[in-house]
């Protein structure tokens, strides 16, 4: 038995490029974080929700 996956059984999924780009720089544990977001103005609510989910993830992370 091998660990090779036969992808032909599963078909090909199309990758969706994100409609925006968010980068995080810094340390979530004290030094502060610089967040840079590039997006269309109509995507503002989705970008804010994405950033809030990331912040919540960091808060829920075991210390």
């Amino acid at each position: 038995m091998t660990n090779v996956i036969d992808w032909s059984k599963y078909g090909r999924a199309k990758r969706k490029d994100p409609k925006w780009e968010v980068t995080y720089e810094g340390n979530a544990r004290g030094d502060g974080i610089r967040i840079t977001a590039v997006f269309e103005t109509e995507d503002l609510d989705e970008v804010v929700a994405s950033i809030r989910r990331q912040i919540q993830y960091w808060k829920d992370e075991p210390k």
Side-chain angles (χ1 to χ4, degrees):
M1 181 166 180
T2 66
N3 290 331
V4 177
I5 298 173
D6 182 4
W7 290 106
S8 65
K9 295 179 184 176
Y10 303 102
R12 301 280 177 184
K14 290 191 177 197
R15 292 185 73 184
K16 287 178 32 178
D17 290 332
K19 297 188 323 187
W20 62 82
E21 179 182 340
V22 179
T23 57
Y24 302 90
E25 297 176 46
N27 183 343
R29 298 187 188 259
D31 296 337
I33 298 175
R34 175 177 295 162
I35 301 171
T36 305
V38 179
F39 57 93
E40 298 292 329
T41 54
E42 62 266 9
D43 296 326
L44 175 64
D45 293 334
E46 292 177 76
V47 173
V48 169
S50 172
I51 293 170
R52 286 188 173 138
R53 282 191 301 273
Q54 182 61 49
I55 291 169
Q56 189 61 48
Y57 174 80
W58 285 327
K59 287 181 180 179
D60 294 342
E61 218 175 33
K63 297 181 183 182

